[in-house]
Amino acid sequence: MASASLQFFAFMLALFGVFGDITATLLPNWKVNADVGSNIITAITQMQGLWMDCTWYSTGMFSCTLKYSVLSLPVYIQAARTTMVLSCILSAFGICITTVGMKCTKLGGDSDSKSHACFAGGVCFILAGIFGLVPTSWYTREIISNFLDQTIPESSKHEPGGAVYTGFISAGFLLIAGVIFCTSCFKKQQGAWIYPPKQHHFPSTEQESDAGYNLKDYV
């Protein structure tokens, strides 16, 4: 019962991770303009995401421009696009697989099949968490390095936006969920390896009959 409750808790973490992963991928505020120097009072807020750049004016107007050209984008944005999409796909696969393998569901067949399904889903969550953690870390590093670069004008400097923090949190949820699913299945298999079922050996009737036949020959 405790293992089933732990799997359910991991499943809820994975759901939050999937929703956060998709949200972070689609949000346009991966980096926002930094209010430093002469830009403390500004009438425009600029945001840049993986798929579009948006501008919010003090009058309430909001406009976005899609990034159609892939080759013109920096390498870290291209890599972030690819890895975040892979993270969303893997996490969705993990949700489907663990739904079949969880102990609180009646899907997936016998206990061995459900255990293997849980382990496979946990691996998907771990890979999704890694694929989500790499682009957010790389993107944050680029933002910080440009912010600290003295040759870049202050009007062109940015700070990490809400999508980056959402990506970090979602990746953490997916990693925790994947570790819980994998370890819960691994403990069960390890117990079977350490304590194998005892085999009872019974003497065969053929040997007893042969022994009796040999004794009769000497009488």
Side-chain angles (χ1 to χ4, degrees):
M1 187 65 182
S3 179
S5 302
L6 191 62
Q7 286 184 355
F8 182 77
F9 173 72
F11 186 78
M12 295 303 297
L13 285 180
L15 278 179
F16 285 119
V18 172
F19 291 144
D21 217 10
I22 297 174
T23 303
T25 304
L26 299 177
L27 280 177
N29 59 338
W30 277 67
K31 60 181 179 180
V32 296
N33 65 322
D35 295 332
V36 294
S38 60
N39 290 330
I40 294 177
I41 301 176
T42 178
I44 298 175
T45 301
Q46 296 179 349
M47 298 177 292
Q48 297 183 16
L50 301 181
W51 313 97
M52 64 182 69
D53 297 337
C54 296
T55 304
W56 181 76
Y57 300 92
S58 60
T59 57
M61 298 295 294
F62 194 82
S63 63
C64 294
T65 303
L66 294 175
K67 298 178 179 180
Y68 293 103
S69 178
V70 178
L71 299 179
S72 62
L73 296 175
V75 178
Y76 68 96
I77 296 182
Q78 297 181 19
R81 280 185 172 187
T82 305
T83 51
M84 289 301 292
V85 170
L86 287 175
S87 178
C88 293
I89 294 174
L90 287 172
S91 58
F93 278 145
I95 290 292
C96 297
I97 296 172
T98 52
T99 302
V100 176
M102 290 176 62
K103 293 182 179 180
C104 58
T105 61
K106 297 183 179 180
L107 305 174
D110 56 357
S111 60
D112 291 336
S113 300
K114 293 175 74 69
S115 179
H116 294 158
C118 274
F119 185 80
V123 172
C124 289
F125 288 143
I126 291 175
L127 292 177
I130 293 174
F131 281 133
L133 189 62
V134 169
T136 50
S137 301
W138 192 358
Y139 207 99
T140 304
R141 177 185 175 278
E142 291 294 331
I143 294 175
I144 295 175
S145 61
N146 291 335
F147 187 87
L148 299 178
D149 192 355
Q150 300 296 331
T151 60
I152 297 177
E154 294 183 352
S155 59
S156 300
K157 293 182 178 181
H158 297 80
E159 291 181 351
V164 175
Y165 301 113
T166 304
F168 273 119
I169 297 173
S170 302
F173 283 165
L174 290 172
L175 287 173
I176 295 172
V179 170
I180 291 175
F181 275 115
C182 290
T183 52
S184 63
C185 301
F186 178 74
K187 287 180 180 179
K188 183 177 179 181
Q189 295 177 359
Q190 188 179 18
W193 295 337
I194 296 176
Y195 304 103
K198 295 182 179 180
Q199 297 180 356
H200 300 281
H201 299 281
F202 298 98
S204 60
T205 56
E206 296 179 356
Q207 293 178 356
E208 292 179 355
S209 62
D210 293 342
Y213 178 77
N214 293 332
L215 291 174
K216 290 180 180 180
D217 292 341
Y218 292 100
V219 177

